[in-house]
Amino acid sequence: MIQLNVEEQRIAKKILSIKTESGSHSPSIFSILERVPEVNIKVDACFLSNPYATSLFLRYLKKDLIDTGKLRDVLEFYPSQNRAIAEIISNLINMPKENIFVGNGATEIIQAVMHNFVEKKIVVSIPTFSPFYEFARDDTEMVFYKFRKEKDFLLVADEYIDFVKKVRPDSIVIINPNNPSGSYLTYNELRYILTNLREVKNVILDESFIEFAFEDERYTRLSAMCLFYDFPNLMVIKSMSKDFGIAGIRAGYAVMDKEKVSKLLKNGYLWNSNGLSEYFFKLITRSDFIKEYEDVRKMYIIETHNFFKELAKLPKLKVYPSKANFVLVELLDGSRSIDFVLKLLVKYGVYVRTGNDKIGLEGEFVRISARTKEENQIIIEAIEDLLCSSE
Amino acid sequence: MIQLNVEEQRIAKKILSIKTESGSHSPSIFSILERVPEVNIKVDACFLSNPYATSLFLRYLKKDLIDTGKLRDVLEFYPSQNRAIAEIISNLINMPKENIFVGNGATEIIQAVMHNFVEKKIVVSIPTFSPFYEFARDDTEMVFYKFRKEKDFLLVADEYIDFVKKVRPDSIVIINPNNPSGSYLTYNELRYILTNLREVKNVILDESFIEFAFEDERYTRLSAMCLFYDFPNLMVIKSMSKDFGIAGIRAGYAVMDKEKVSKLLKNGYLWNSNGLSEYFFKLITRSDFIKEYEDVRKMYIIETHNFFKELAKLPKLKVYPSKANFVLVELLDGSRSIDFVLKLLVKYGVYVRTGNDKIGLEGEFVRISARTKEENQIIIEAIEDLLCSSE
């Protein structure tokens, strides 16, 4: 069982007070570094994005904007309006621009959907990404459907359909792959659920981690966005932060019924993109960029699953199946999740996320994200040492 | 009277179709350049910001982020949450962080205020910045108070107070200096109005252009933000785009009652800043940056007023008094504002804004913004030639 010594406890106390201020999100490593400088963070395995994609993006940014001096135009002038950015995305995903709503990150879209379309009752599957319940209006009733750890946190389609039919919500949320469990619903399962739940007014599908999932051996890119044509009650939300490693830019979009887009744009969301997010959306329509992106996406998936396999070999842990770029790990030796996280951070400089603030996650869980190959190795060695050195 | 020849009419038609798509805002020069490449834009005098401040910001950005490689951190990771950015601004303006709401540009704040606090009736002074009526909820009644050109579009305090007392709105909006007129209300006049309108639930004061205004000969920075302590019904909205020349970054904040901030943050606006806006807010708390900024702010004000004086010397024009970085100009020779704008753009490459889509602006008006000294000279020469070559 993992225990903190006196010095570790002192530092841990400072970190915990920052955590309290961050609500149900992990404090950023910058907040920690600023206020607890004695912590030497080597790997941020809390953070969920493809680090290779960040490097690729930065390479293009340098070539296109910094070296040419065009960065000035991007930062000085107003970015294009929502509908103009939607037109860029329309070319990217080959869907009508009238069905695309551009967001200042997916979080803004979740807020817009929760405030404007979700009505009296929503079914949220837990554990989940907290804004799906935190952003609810006061008059929205939240009904939780609980993923069971005995079922590896997988959504069991028929059971879920029965649950929703009984509760009769106006809205449901599915994150695929789910955060924080990484559990994945196949395209066919999703289609089956949608076919059986046509009566639900709003089906919110968050595909923020979909580009890390795969159904074939060639890791073909997945998305259920096209199901929107058959199911107009479907709203698909897409964060760009994870796949492309650009959380600081705030870029996201959603596909939804065109009346819904019009309602949102009627009296708001005019200039919610910024110069760099507009550049980013233009960049990902370029074949030269996407060709290189596909390589780093596949490489990252392969390394991620190698990392998961190495984690699964460690003692005193259960690693749950994941098709995201992170994995949920249960501690089996009686250690508390928070002690594991704090000791790993303070003693080894490896920052992972505790599951103990996630509603619907009972037991001692940590969520660990895959980083670069070298960083994954540091994580493995740190956890191994931590587990072996505890009684 | 200005008239377009056949070729100019052909190009003008293409520009007008882009304008239609942009609603009540001017299309960006990038939209024009992309779709009407035959137009050679030399000066964008539609755009309202201090170009010297942009250069200054870019110099710091290069030194702090690009040359050090820290740009990666800013773009890869999540920016801090709303309350953490509010804390940075709190140090800047010396007001409690609980009273500060951070926005993805001032436009997002206007939307948040119009959707969440404005209730049944709002008095908007026209001509104005269009989001103040376009972002209103369907159930909000809009009552217009009209600035009169005979009074140089100045707000006449007693007349305004009487009007508001008669209409009994729950909310009023004052932009100071006003956009598009540039008319300025002194600190004392503003205080007088607030003292007499304590019964109005929400007094929305937009100070997006306040750093270009001055009441003394040393151009001391102005703001009525501190009046918030005496008038808790006051909400002061501040765009950073204009003063600092960084519209593409999307940075703004507002000072308001702490219950209002809590209401907004209760179920939204968690991560609405981006990495660069967080960097920017930290930068403007630094004394090295602010010292240089003060120099470029004063220099720009001086050049702006020299430019206004040159404009006023031109024939067939009336230049209205302005304490913003733009000026409202009335055409006196019977020319249509739209012909003036199109001819100036197509023949001279100088882009100014027509006033003919502004509610409450009757007559033929154009709004011209001050740019760099060299660009101002180009604007003056172009308008002079245009006016002299027309009959």
Side-chain angles (χ1 to χ4, degrees), chain A residues 138-199:
Chain A
D138 289 342
D139 59 344
T140 301
E141 184 193 346
M142 194 71 48
V143 181
F144 290 131
Y145 170 82
K146 213 172 147 183
F147 293 127
R148 281 170 296 153
K149 75 175 183 185
E150 303 76 43
K151 295 269 183 190
D152 286 346
F153 299 103
L154 290 166
L155 192 150
V156 183
D158 283 315
E159 189 188 282
Y160 180 73
I161 293 165
D162 287 349
F163 182 86
V164 173
K165 283 191 180 290
K166 219 175 85 188
V167 173
R168 300 167 63 96
D170 51 79
S171 308
I172 61 175
V173 178
I174 295 173
I175 310 181
N176 196 37
N178 187 48
N179 178 6
S181 64
S183 53
Y184 175 69
L185 205 58
T186 64
Y187 180 84
N188 286 335
E189 285 171 318
L190 195 62
R191 190 180 181 95
Y192 177 77
I193 290 170
L194 287 164
T195 308
N196 283 280
L197 290 176
R198 284 193 184 270
E199 70 269 28

Side-chain angles (χ1 to χ4, degrees), chain B residues 152-205:
Chain B
D152 287 345
F153 301 102
L154 290 167
L155 192 149
V156 183
D158 283 318
E159 187 188 284
Y160 180 74
I161 292 165
D162 286 348
F163 182 88
V164 172
K165 281 190 180 292
K166 219 174 86 187
V167 173
R168 300 169 62 93
D170 51 79
S171 308
I172 62 174
V173 179
I174 295 172
I175 310 183
N176 196 37
N178 187 46
N179 178 7
S181 64
S183 54
Y184 175 69
L185 204 60
T186 64
Y187 180 84
N188 285 337
E189 286 171 317
L190 194 64
R191 191 182 180 93
Y192 177 76
I193 291 170
L194 286 164
T195 308
N196 284 281
L197 291 176
R198 282 192 186 272
E199 70 269 30
V200 178
K201 211 164 164 179
N202 306 300
V203 177
I204 304 162
L205 174 66

